[in-house]
């Protein structure tokens, strides 16, 4: 039977566990930091000497840790890109701008175990020679910001943050920076622009890769809350032990946000790839199935921007057989292992690890209209295809949901969506707003066509949309 495997969330939700320093210390807090700071330089056979930070960076790379914020890029590889020869200071930013609809995992750590995040940040900063770091937190999390500031004050008082940390000679300060609640600030270069006090327009890459030209045009690392917490456990367990968790190329644990039409919505920590989508939805240890009398209709596997799966879908995926060779296997959507690679191979992504479940009571057109309205509102407006395309799609869907639809709106939506991604925009927001439209219409086209046809028939019969709806039904 599949079960949760709590590593990062091991202490949270336990009776009597509180977010203060004393409770954290009683449960082994900051021991991983002490271990990291005590690492001695290592002499190699070729005469080179590895410093403690270099050894830590190697451990993270060996652990196989992939970013938990959305892209799933190797954390160790990301750290290796940092320009360490420029002479400029290196900064680290914790991306706590959790804003992907359907995602609510990082705030659990911030609210219930903030010192775990701070310890993970200090170790990561030490590993990368960082002297100043920031926690960029979403504006809608005022209590989270207060909790983090309290925790940082406690850490400074105990000598875990500040000058000469634990007598090691290492200096570091960490500040909390509150954003203004813009989804685009989840994109790392948009976040950096906002942190500098500017409009959060994402930067063009190249040349503005954060590892080279980030905050204040200095080398910068941007990591997600959950990713930085995992670093603490890698140091505590060792890279080899951590890599035993999960599956090859999908190591460690992952916190999944499960919402929608399940009996037990919530957040669950699993070994990556050891639990399937179907188990997360139906198993009593997780979602415990759908509401009484309902059938599954669709699943968004990685936050609202991920391409939707239709119930009953089957995929042909390559899998290694006993002989070690790749063989193609047909697999049902519910049997997909919840990991980075399986979901990409099936045409979607695990993204921010947020599963949104929709049963047969769901109006798919309404659901997409809701998602598209969000993306039209949150586009920063810097790139024309995204700024205009997201708005046109939202307007077309408003027509369809307010009585002014047309039969051809399904094809019209796809035509717009197809013209946004493909390198036409500076950041991935263009893809994020187009993927839901492309996948919803492709997999449920009959519902969009039927809605538009019904509206046209009503209009022909003389029962057209109200004046308010005629505004929404403008040519765009």
């Amino acid at each position: 039977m599949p079960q949760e495997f709590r590593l990062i969330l091991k202490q949270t939700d336990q009776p009597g566990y509180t977010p203060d320093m004393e409770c954290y210390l009683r449960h082994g807090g900051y021991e991983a930091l002490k271990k990291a700071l005590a690492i001695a330089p290592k002499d190699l056979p070729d005469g080179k000497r590895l410093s403690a930070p270099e050894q830590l960076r190697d451990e993270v790379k060996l652990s196989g840790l992939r970013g938990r914020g959305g892209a799933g890029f190797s954390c160790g590889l990301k750290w290796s890109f940092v320009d360490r020869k420029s002479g400029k200071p290196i900064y680290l930013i914790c991306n706590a701008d959790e804003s992907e609809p359907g995602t609510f995992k990082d705030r659990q750590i911030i609210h219930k175990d903030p010192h775990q995040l701070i310890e993970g940040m200090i170790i990561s900063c030490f590993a990368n020679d960082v002297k100043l770091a920031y926690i960029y937190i979403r504006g809608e999390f005022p209590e989270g910001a207060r909790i983090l500031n309290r925790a940082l004050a406690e850490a400074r008082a105990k000598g875990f943050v500040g000058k000469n940390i634990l007598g090691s000679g290492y200096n570091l300060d960490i500040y909390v920076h509150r954003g203004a609640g813009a989804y685009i600030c989840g994109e790392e270069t948009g976040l950096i622009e906002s942190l500098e006090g500017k409009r959060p327009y994402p930067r063009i890459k190249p040349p503005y890769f954060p590892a080279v030209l980030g905050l204040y045009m200095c080398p910068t690392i941007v990591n997600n809350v959950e990713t930085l917490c995992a670093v603490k456990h890698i140091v505590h367990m060792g890279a080899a032990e951590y890599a035993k968790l999960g599956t090859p190329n999908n190591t460690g644990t992952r916190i999944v946000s499960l919402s929608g039409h399940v009996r037990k919505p919530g957040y669950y920590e699993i070994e990556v790839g050891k639990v399937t989508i179907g188990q997360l939805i139906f198993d009593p240890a997780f979602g415990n199935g759908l509401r009484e009398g309902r059938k599954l209709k669709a699943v968004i596997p990685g936050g609202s921007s991920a391409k939707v799966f239709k119930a009953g879908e089957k995929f042909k995926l390559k899998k290694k057989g006993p002989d070690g060779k790749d063989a193609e296997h047909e697999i049902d959507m519910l049997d997909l292992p919840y990991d980075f690679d399986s979901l990409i191979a099936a045409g979607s992504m695990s993204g921010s690890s947020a599963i949104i479940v929709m049963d047969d009571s769901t109006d798919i057109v309404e659901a997409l209209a809701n998602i598209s309205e969000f993306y039209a509102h949150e586009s920063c407006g810097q790139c024309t295809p995204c700024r205009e395309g997201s708005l046109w799609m939202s307007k077309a869907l408003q027509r369809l949901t307010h009585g002014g639809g047309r039969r051809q709106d399904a094809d019209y939506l796809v035509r717009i969506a197809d013209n946004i991604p493909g390198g036409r925009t500076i950041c991935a927001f263009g893809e994020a707003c187009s993927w839901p439209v492309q996948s919803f219409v492709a997999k449920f086209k009959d519902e969009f066509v039927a809605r538009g046809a019904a509206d046209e028939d009503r209009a022909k019969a003389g029962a057209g949309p109200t004046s308010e709806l005629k505004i929404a039904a403008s040519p765009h």
Side-chain angles (χ1 to χ4, degrees), residues 76-299:
L77 201 56
K78 190 175 191 178
W79 288 5
S80 73
F81 294 151
V82 172
D83 180 5
R84 304 179 193 280
K85 297 178 181 177
S86 66
K88 296 178 182 179
I90 300 169
Y91 296 103
L92 184 140
I93 305 171
C94 169
N95 186 347
D97 190 76
E98 185 174 54
S99 47
E100 179 76 9
T103 313
F104 45 88
K105 63 184 179 68
D106 290 343
R107 69 197 73 181
Q108 310 302 330
I109 299 166
I110 291 167
H111 278 250
K112 297 173 181 177
D113 206 3
H115 281 285
Q116 181 177 189
L117 170 59
I118 292 167
E119 184 175 11
M121 279 189 74
I122 300 167
I123 295 168
S124 300
C125 289
F126 177 64
N128 288 285
D129 307 307
V130 172
K131 302 295 190 292
L132 180 60
Y134 294 92
I135 302 172
Y136 185 101
I137 190 166
R138 188 161 180 77
E140 287 91 339
F141 299 164
E143 183 58 24
R146 282 193 286 271
I147 289 168
L148 284 168
N149 275 317
R150 260 198 315 268
L152 282 169
E154 290 175 330
R156 287 189 190 98
K158 288 282 188 180
F160 296 122
V161 175
K163 293 188 182 299
N164 192 25
I165 295 172
L166 299 178
S168 65
Y170 175 60
N171 305 325
L172 170 70
D173 220 331
I174 302 172
Y175 295 99
V176 175
H177 182 97
R178 290 187 64 195
Y183 175 77
I184 198 66
C185 291
E187 197 278 336
E188 58 184 16
T189 61
L191 183 156
I192 289 169
E193 287 284 293
S194 174
L195 189 52
E196 291 181 355
K198 295 180 280 186
R199 184 186 291 270
Y201 278 167
R203 297 174 178 175
I204 295 172
K205 296 184 280 188
Y208 298 107
F209 290 109
V212 180
L213 296 170
L215 185 65
Y216 311 127
M217 292 296 114
C218 294
T220 304
I221 296 164
V222 183
N223 282 138
N224 169 262
V225 171
E226 187 183 350
T227 311
L228 291 165
C229 289
V231 171
K232 170 217 159 136
H233 295 283
I234 290 165
V235 171
H236 177 71
M237 300 168 66
E241 284 302 307
Y242 184 86
K244 289 177 183 176
L245 299 174
T247 52
N249 203 41
N250 293 273
T251 60
T253 66
R254 193 135 195 228
I255 306 170
V256 178
S257 307
L258 181 66
S259 64
H261 298 148
V262 288
R263 294 175 188 271
K264 280 174 54 186
Y267 50 94
Y268 301 96
E269 189 172 5
I270 60 170
E271 286 190 69
V272 186
K274 292 284 184 75
V275 181
T276 66
I277 290 178
Q279 288 168 334
L280 284 165
I281 296 170
F282 292 102
D283 195 277
F286 302 105
N288 198 29
L290 307 178
R291 299 176 298 177
E292 190 68 36
R294 292 297 180 186
K295 293 179 181 177
L296 185 66
K297 186 169 186 176
V299 177

Side-chain angles (χ1 to χ4, degrees), residues 10 13 28 62 92 115-116 151 159 168 219 253 278 302 313 444 449 462 475:
K10 184 178 181 180
D13 302 321
L62 287 169
L92 184 140
H115 281 285
Q116 181 177 189
S168 65
T253 66
E313 263 195 276
F444 298 95
V449 174

Side-chain angles (χ1 to χ4, degrees), residues 388-410:
E388 299 300 318
S390 61
L391 186 61
W392 293 0
M393 291 188 297
S394 182
K395 283 184 175 181
L397 285 156
Q398 287 298 309
R399 273 204 307 267
L400 278 166
T401 53
H402 288 81
R406 307 171 300 188
R407 281 179 175 84
Q408 68 266 34
D409 276 339

Side-chain angles (χ1 to χ4, degrees), residues 15-29:
Y17 191 80
T18 54
D20 59 273
M21 169 70 80
E22 294 308 317
C23 182
Y24 188 66
L25 291 174
R26 284 198 304 272
H27 289 82

